Amino acid sequence: GKSRQLVDRTFGPAADRSRREHMAADGIRDRCRIDTRAEGQIESGFFKGGSRNLLSDFGAVDGSPSPAHPFRHVGFRHDARANGLEDVSFMAAPGTTTALVGPSGAGKSTIVKLALRLIDPQEGRVLIDGRDVREVTQASLRAAVALVPQDVALFNDTLAANIAFARPEADDAAIRRACELANAWEFISTLPGGLDAHIGEGGSSLSGGQRQRLAIARALLAEPQCFIFDEATSALDTRS
């Protein structure tokens, strides 16, 4: 009756939110289990990684220049599209910035997926440090390359926990340094609790620009050798 409807209206949203948070936490745990599987096993839901470790086997070690990430005559076409990537070649050289500019549907996001080996090219090769990305383990590729997306995945937890998701063993000093480099410390230091402040589901207590700064800080904390920004500064001003 009416009492039941009142209970549903009062507690239904909270129950739905709790279910979503549990599902997100389960997904994080599952992803961590996948990432820590033994080398040579399937490391993602789609591809089997190679057997070589990018950072140790190919000489790209800490302190060395970032590995080059060239595309050589790459082609890829989605089934639902008449056009796709065709004979794409370019070099993302160490120590430089490479920008991809084009209209929606031009293939920018597809190039990002190819660079991260979320998909494989139908033609040509994607190389990192001179090696085909299909030769290296997914774990070492993920450690070498960090993606900062436009839409940030944030959890109903503290700022520190959200940033340290990239490197759980990081201490507060390392987290603060990453925040400073990402121009995030200025607003974090004004929050009650600072890094211990809770940000709500999806970072609901933060602005779009603040969420993007946290994503950049998270990527910086991971200390990758290559950054990929997928419109990751769309909500930021030119100064920051």
Side-chain angles (χ1 to χ4, degrees):
K2 292 182 178 178
S3 298
R4 177 62 181 177
Q5 293 176 6
L6 178 62
V7 169
D8 289 342
R9 285 198 301 270
T10 304
F11 296 104
D16 290 341
R17 184 165 58 252
S18 177
R19 280 193 295 270
R20 290 196 300 271
E21 290 177 0
H22 282 300
M23 290 172 66
D26 290 342
I28 294 168
R29 285 194 292 270
D30 290 342
R31 183 161 54 189
C32 291
R33 285 196 293 269
I34 289 172
D35 289 343
T36 55
R37 289 183 183 183
E39 292 184 359
Q41 294 182 355
I42 295 176
E43 295 170 287
S44 73
F46 303 97
F47 298 111
K48 183 175 182 178
S51 60
R52 307 296 297 276
N53 186 298
L54 176 65
L55 300 183
S56 62
D57 292 349
F58 300 142
V61 296
D62 185 42
S64 68
S66 300
H69 213 326
F71 277 52
R72 292 186 180 175
H73 307 290
V74 170
F76 187 90
R77 180 171 297 172
H78 296 277
D79 293 338
R81 297 183 184 177
N83 299 317
L85 298 178
E86 185 175 345
D87 196 24
V88 173
S89 296
F90 66 90
M91 168 71 78
T96 66
T97 299
T98 301
L100 302 179
V101 181
S104 298
K108 301 185 297 297
S109 294
T110 300
I111 289 176
V112 169
K113 292 176 183 177
L114 288 164
L116 292 168
R117 207 189 167 216
L118 300 176
I119 55 177
D120 276 337
Q122 295 161 347
E123 300 170 357
R125 296 198 300 163
V126 179
L127 308 178
I128 184 167
D129 200 30
R131 303 286 177 165
D132 194 304
V133 294
R134 289 170 286 201
E135 296 180 23
V136 305
T137 64
Q138 293 276 29
S140 66
L141 180 61
R142 298 290 181 268
V145 182
L147 171 67
V148 184
Q150 180 179 6
D151 297 321
V152 187
L154 296 174
F155 318 115
N156 188 9
D157 208 330
T158 65
L159 284 163
N162 273 277
I163 297 168
F165 180 69
R167 205 175 96 205
E169 74 279 6
D171 58 22
D172 286 348
I175 295 172
R176 174 168 177 168
R177 177 58 178 159
C179 292
E180 289 172 344
L181 291 172
N183 255 341
W185 186 251
E186 183 177 350
F187 85 83
I188 290 174
S189 62
T190 66
L191 298 175
L195 286 170
D196 293 325
H198 280 257
I199 61 174
E201 183 182 358
S204 58
S205 65
L206 304 176
S207 69
Q210 290 170 339
R211 290 193 293 269
Q212 287 187 340
R213 288 190 181 93
L214 291 187
I216 295 171
R218 179 189 285 170
L220 289 167
L221 184 66
E223 297 182 339
Q225 299 212 353
C226 178
F227 291 92
I228 297 178
F229 291 86
D230 189 5
E231 297 190 50
T233 59
S234 60
L236 300 179
D237 54 60
T238 55
R239 182 184 64 83
S240 58

